[in-house]
Amino acid sequence: MKQTLMGNDAIAWGLIHANVDMVSGYPGTPSSEILSEVQKIKYKLNLDIYAEWGTNEKVGFEVAYAGAIAGKRTCATMKQVGLNVASDALMSAAYIGNLGGMLLIAADDPGFHSSQTEQDSRVFAKFARIPVLDPATPQDAYDLTRYGVELSEKFQIPVMLRPVMRVCHAREIIEMDEETNFRPNKGEFQRNVPRWGAVPRDGRFAQGIEQLNRIEVIKEYNWEHLLKPEFDECEGKNTLIITSGTGHGFVKETLSDLGLDADVVKVLMPYPLPVEQMQERFKSYDKVLVVEEPYPCVEEQIAAPNVYGKNTNSIHQIDEMSKEEILKAFQNIGLYEGENIYATPPSLDFDIEARPPALCPGCPHRDVYYAITKVFKKKKAIYPSDIGCYTLALAQGAIDTILCMGASVSMASGFSISDPDKTTVATIGDGTFFHSGIPPLLNAVYQNHKFILVILDNSTIAMTGRQTTPSRSNKNIDIKKIVEGMGIDCMEHQYSYEMQDNIDFFREVKEVHKSATGPTVVVVREFCILDRERAPEFIPNIFAKVDPDLCVACDQCTTVYKCPPMAYNDDGVIEIDPFLCAGCGGCLDVVCPTDAFVQDFDYLKRGN
């Protein structure tokens, strides 16, 4: 059967058709749609499958891994930086192994499109000594998902699937099974303490030896079943190109565009590689070019005098793949001497203004951050923040540092020690707080670190697709109670579209903090403007317009408040785009020093 599917949807169907009956993980672009699609398929076909989000990637991995130990077929899904969080569990699981097949999906993001690093999960698989599969297309993603589960079960080791953003979010006509004959496995834990409960030194040492032997066996498997057939189809050209992942499609297209001949070998399993067999084949070529992104994972394993790639500066070392970069690599190794046919065309006679990322119109985060910066002056404050859509408050000058999930709290501790003359005001979302904000706050209480922590509770993990938070799914879980359980008198505020209410609250926080001996914690109850279930309860449908006679072009609204509908018109006066205005009414109070924003009573009438 053929279906046009996005790569992540193809992976979800691959899991179903591989009879994976436990899927866990944590949302993160570009991986988020995988588990969400499994959930949709589950309810559409009424399948007996566990498909739920964990509170973080480590928890998600451990849930899935326990299932695989008990003989179920399982999957843990996350993005590449989420793999950092799950790495502790992964490293041990790679030693211990599993009974049922377990696929670890780590979706990479070459080019930093929605991530703080460009790290290469293939290298992490090499670090953990587990096989990794590198799909080049959505069709590959579907096929290798099924293949990876079978491979894991065959060798009793977790197998990583590493799709990159251009695979996850590309669409292709997929050839897939016509029928879904889903057969969940019966889980039955078999007690085996020497394996499942192995402790250092003797038990884990023995598993380490087994792991090394297993990798050698998988190398041979990789050669016989995947790589040797590719090499056997080569025609004996002067140049060999080794491709991994999306590099394969770019190489094939660039060769065609330039009219060049070269042998191309597609590496589906970039680790572990049968190095000796591959290097023996390299002897018949003048040059071997390795095309992969973003790290030289394959190149480092197969290094030889005639092998070129990132380590020889023959191809770009950062950012995602493109045909222009492939062309430059061909030039660098002497395969192509012509012009750059992909060069950027001459610039147009007009400029298109860039639109930087911004919080959505009507987003409560904007008003909260505006109130914070009004009360806690920038010269006297430090604003560490965290990973989430609220990170876009960078545009308001309300954020000073971003590191990784949960780091706003830990860094607030550090700033309170290193620069105590300033007030540290940290911000973190509710999903991130549950993910990794609790341990550093516990540490701050333990060490009496003095700072302010503002937890922005909009009851959803908004940036990655509005997945539900633990507190939304289970009303017994409440951030305020968790904070109070640490011995903190947690302050609470209900977001108000009347800006003065928010400012008055943070003035109260400031006063309370003066006499505090440890962290001052605030929970601000909000909503997500894109949340169809909750947003209508909070949006007042109060629309704004600008009185042109009162606007003095002071830039306060465009540089500090930063709401997307606000922009200068041809007369040098601010206007509000009625198609973008969300009707939150937030700008009508305090924001404009000349009160140029006024309520538009005719807004809804104009739609009739």
Side-chain angles (χ1 to χ4, degrees), residues 504-524:
D504 289 344
F505 171 74
F506 281 105
R507 283 176 177 162
E508 181 185 350
V509 172
K510 187 175 184 179
E511 289 301 312
V512 170
H513 184 62
K514 286 180 181 179
S515 58
T517 58
T520 302
V521 182
V522 171
V523 179
V524 181

Side-chain angles (χ1 to χ4, degrees), residues 418-550:
S418 58
D419 194 353
D421 293 334
K422 294 188 180 73
T423 302
T424 299
V425 185
T427 49
I428 188 170
D430 51 337
T432 312
F433 180 74
F434 288 123
H435 178 284
S436 50
I438 296 173
L441 180 58
L442 185 62
N443 179 69
V445 176
Y446 167 45
Q447 301 290 353
N448 291 320
H449 296 152
K450 185 177 179 180
F451 59 84
I452 296 170
L453 176 64
V454 181
I455 304 172
L456 305 166
D457 178 14
N458 63 3
S459 190
T460 184
I461 304 173
M463 185 171 241
T464 54
R466 296 177 298 285
Q467 295 85 7
T468 57
T469 58
S471 57
R472 183 162 179 170
S473 299
N474 189 326
K475 300 304 180 184
N476 292 320
I477 301 171
D478 182 72
I479 293 173
K480 188 171 185 289
K481 292 179 181 178
I482 292 172
V483 172
E484 289 173 341
M486 298 183 195
I488 303 172
D489 292 330
C490 184
M491 302 178 70
E492 187 175 18
H493 175 61
Q494 180 66 53
Y495 158 79
S496 173
Y497 66 87
E498 294 182 352
M499 185 66 74
Q500 192 61 52
D501 290 347
N502 301 316
I503 292 174
D504 289 344
F505 171 74
F506 281 105
R507 283 176 177 162
E508 181 185 350
V509 172
K510 187 175 184 179
E511 289 301 312
V512 170
H513 184 62
K514 286 180 181 179
S515 58
T517 58
T520 302
V521 182
V522 171
V523 179
V524 181
R525 307 296 188 180
E526 300 181 4
F527 63 95
C528 174
I529 192 70
L530 301 180
D531 189 337
R532 290 183 298 177
E533 293 180 10
R534 296 182 71 242
E537 302 175 22
F538 300 95
I539 299 297
N541 286 325
I542 297 176
F543 296 89
K545 64 180 180 179
V546 177
D547 185 336
D549 295 329
L550 295 178

Side-chain angles (χ1 to χ4, degrees), residues 87-108:
S87 61
D88 193 10
L90 167 62
M91 298 304 290
S92 290
Y95 276 80
I96 300 168
N98 42 273
L99 295 180
M102 180 181 176
L103 192 69
L104 166 61
I105 301 174
D108 281 7

Side-chain angles (χ1 to χ4, degrees), residues 4 17 66 86 117 171 186 206 222 384 404 449 473 484 548:
T4 301
H17 290 158
T117 73
R171 293 184 184 274
K186 184 182 187 316
N222 193 1
C404 62
H449 296 152
S473 299
E484 289 173 341

Side-chain angles (χ1 to χ4, degrees), residues 34-228:
I34 297 170
L35 196 148
S36 298
E37 182 65 15
V38 171
Q39 290 175 327
K40 292 177 184 177
I41 298 170
K42 167 188 174 177
Y43 292 116
K44 180 180 179 181
L45 301 181
N46 193 29
L47 303 179
D48 182 14
I49 181 172
Y50 174 90
E52 301 292 345
W53 297 110
T55 51
N56 65 29
E57 293 85 358
K58 182 175 185 289
V59 172
F61 180 94
E62 290 163 351
V63 168
Y65 180 62
I69 282 179
K72 305 280 276 184
R73 285 190 165 187
T74 72
C75 171
T77 175
M78 59 200 66
K79 68 183 295 181
Q80 90 281 16
V81 289
L83 183 57
N84 300 335
V85 180
S87 61
D88 193 10
L90 167 62
M91 298 304 290
S92 290
Y95 276 80
I96 300 168
N98 42 273
L99 295 180
M102 180 181 176
L103 192 69
L104 166 61
I105 301 174
D108 281 7
D109 190 18
F112 307 89
H113 291 282
S114 58
S115 307
Q116 56 268 44
T117 73
E118 200 189 34
Q119 70 190 58
D120 190 332
S121 296
R122 298 175 307 158
V123 177
F124 222 127
K126 182 173 177 286
F127 181 39
R129 292 175 175 156
I130 64 170
V132 55
L133 302 172
D134 200 6
T137 64
Q139 180 69 64
D140 275 356
Y142 172 80
D143 294 336
L144 292 182
T145 295
R146 304 182 65 181
Y147 188 77
V149 175
E150 298 288 347
L151 198 68
S152 172
E153 200 158 282
K154 176 180 178 65
F155 291 105
Q156 293 194 9
I157 190 172
V159 170
M160 180 186 293
L161 180 75
R162 180 258 189 178
V164 298
M165 187 272 288
R166 298 297 180 184
V167 172
C168 292
H169 291 163
R171 293 184 184 274
E172 185 181 10
I173 299 174
I174 304 295
E175 187 73 43
M176 56 185 285
D177 286 357
E178 186 167 352
E179 296 184 4
T180 300
N181 298 314
F182 185 75
R183 300 179 304 279
N185 303 291
K186 184 182 187 316
E188 185 176 354
F189 177 71
Q190 299 175 11
R191 181 168 286 107
N192 185 349
V193 177
R195 181 176 186 182
W196 310 130
V199 295
R201 173 180 184 311
D202 293 343
R204 193 51 56 91
F205 184 85
Q207 289 179 338
I209 298 297
E210 291 175 4
Q211 182 189 48
L212 291 173
N213 294 335
R214 186 164 46 207
I215 284 297
E216 291 302 315
V217 173
I218 297 174
K219 283 181 183 179
E220 294 300 320
Y221 181 91
N222 193 1
W223 174 252
E224 291 296 331
H225 294 269
L226 299 177
L227 283 169
K228 187 175 182 293

